[in-house]
Amino acid sequence: YERTKRNYPNEMFFFQQYPRNEVEAFLAAGGCPFDIDDINFYLENYIMEPLDPQEVKKAWPGGMPEPLSRFFAFDDLQVWDLPKGHEYLVTFDPATGKENGDYHGIHVLLLAPKIEQVLELRTRCDLDEATYAFYLLGQAYPNALLVWERTGIGAAVTNLLSRFHAGNLYEHEDVVAEINKRRPGYKPAKATNVNNWGWPATPANVHMRDQDLISGFRDHDIIIHSKRCLDEQKAFVRQSDGRYRASGRA
């Protein structure tokens, strides 16, 4: 195997002909921003089975609410660490939740000493149910900042969080707008009463997010425990509009 490999100009050409596993087979097809060695590093060092659901329910501070615990039924909810006295980020990528459609994606991230995934909820359900679960996780994990994609269907998430009287919501600062303010002849836009809660998925913001994920993954600064999350990353390819999406998605 190794002798044959040395006859090829680089590893990618070799893996196209002789992939050792499904990771190399897919990545050799091209377009994925994640390196084979990094994928294997995560598989060997960080990917692990979640905690037992029954043990999580017993140990959950104050008891796990039924609107959360019910997501264990179909393995939608996976937990690697219980709420503790740390700082957390709870993220929510909302979807329609319809059968055969995209999943809602909620992740709880420990922020120090490294960014570490401690919980994942991947489910299809009504948007209000997913948003309530997002809110409950923000309540359970202390000092958690709630961040959600507010574009499109995310506007409904903003309204629901307001109805739940949720606190510690992410308020977006438009970096491009701040730069424009420094330009000669800048005229401020008319003030509005619209708040900046949530993360807007503009092309510039999506690009920055993708690059942060790619560099964090490459440098092993982001600890991911979920096998299904890693599987989706393996399917990331660059689309014609420059964005990265899982292969087969529009």
Side-chain angles (χ1 to χ4, degrees):
Y1 185 89
E2 291 299 327
R3 284 197 299 270
T4 305
K5 181 178 175 182
R6 286 195 290 270
N7 293 327
Y8 281 75
N10 60 54
E11 287 188 338
M12 193 60 70
F13 288 148
F14 176 70
F15 292 147
Q16 287 177 350
Q17 300 298 321
Y18 303 100
R20 293 173 295 185
N21 51 53
E22 62 176 6
V23 175
E24 291 175 356
F26 182 85
L27 297 183
C32 181
F34 302 109
D35 185 78
I36 291 173
D37 290 337
D38 293 326
I39 292 283
N40 286 328
F41 174 87
Y42 273 79
L43 285 170
E44 294 169 5
N45 294 278
Y46 289 153
I47 299 303
M48 63 176 63
E49 290 297 317
L51 299 174
D52 179 80
Q54 297 305 320
E55 294 301 319
V56 172
K57 291 178 186 178
K58 290 179 184 177
W60 194 265
M64 179 173 275
E66 190 278 334
L68 272 182
S69 63
R70 72 181 189 84
F71 287 109
F72 278 128
F74 301 100
D75 293 328
D76 290 349
L77 180 61
Q78 296 186 340
V79 181
W80 290 272
D81 198 15
L82 295 165
K84 297 175 182 175
H86 304 299
E87 290 190 355
Y88 296 93
L89 189 69
V90 186
T91 69
F92 182 21
D93 182 11
T96 62
K98 294 180 179 178
E99 187 176 356
N100 299 322
D102 286 345
Y103 291 94
H104 300 294
I106 299 175
H107 296 269
V108 179
L109 306 174
L110 176 66
L111 295 181
K114 283 190 174 184
I115 297 175
E116 180 178 359
Q117 180 189 39
V118 297
L119 180 147
E120 177 185 75
L121 174 57
R122 179 175 178 263
T123 187
R124 292 188 180 106
C125 64
D126 290 340
L127 182 62
D128 60 334
E129 294 178 285
T131 303
Y132 190 55
F134 174 54
Y135 161 73
L136 288 175
L137 289 170
Q139 295 288 302
Y141 282 85
N143 305 311
L145 178 66
L146 275 64
V147 183
W148 68 100
E149 184 178 319
R150 75 183 192 203
T151 309
I153 197 171
V157 175
T158 306
N159 290 333
L160 286 166
L161 290 172
S162 178
R163 286 170 49 191
F164 298 153
H165 302 288
N168 214 19
L169 306 179
Y170 171 76
E171 190 167 359
H172 183 72
E173 180 179 343
D174 192 330
V175 177
V176 176
E178 291 300 316
I179 293 174
N180 287 336
K181 289 179 182 179
R182 303 170 193 165
R183 292 179 177 174
Y186 168 76
K187 294 182 179 180
K190 184 178 180 181
T192 66
N193 294 322
V194 178
N195 62 59
N196 291 318
W197 291 340
W199 181 80
T202 64
N205 288 337
V206 169
H207 175 76
M208 288 188 286
R209 177 202 62 189
D210 290 348
Q211 294 307 311
D212 285 345
L213 174 61
I214 292 168
S215 63
F217 192 84
R218 179 194 61 222
D219 298 335
H220 307 159
D221 287 336
I222 303 173
I223 300 175
I224 298 171
H225 294 309
S226 169
K227 176 65 165 55
R228 61 191 182 192
C229 181
L230 187 66
D231 286 342
E232 185 165 350
Q233 286 183 236
K234 283 156 50 179
F236 264 35
V237 292
R238 191 179 182 89
Q239 306 292 325
S240 58
D241 61 1
R243 297 187 180 191
Y244 289 99
R245 298 187 185 90
S247 179
R249 287 181 56 186

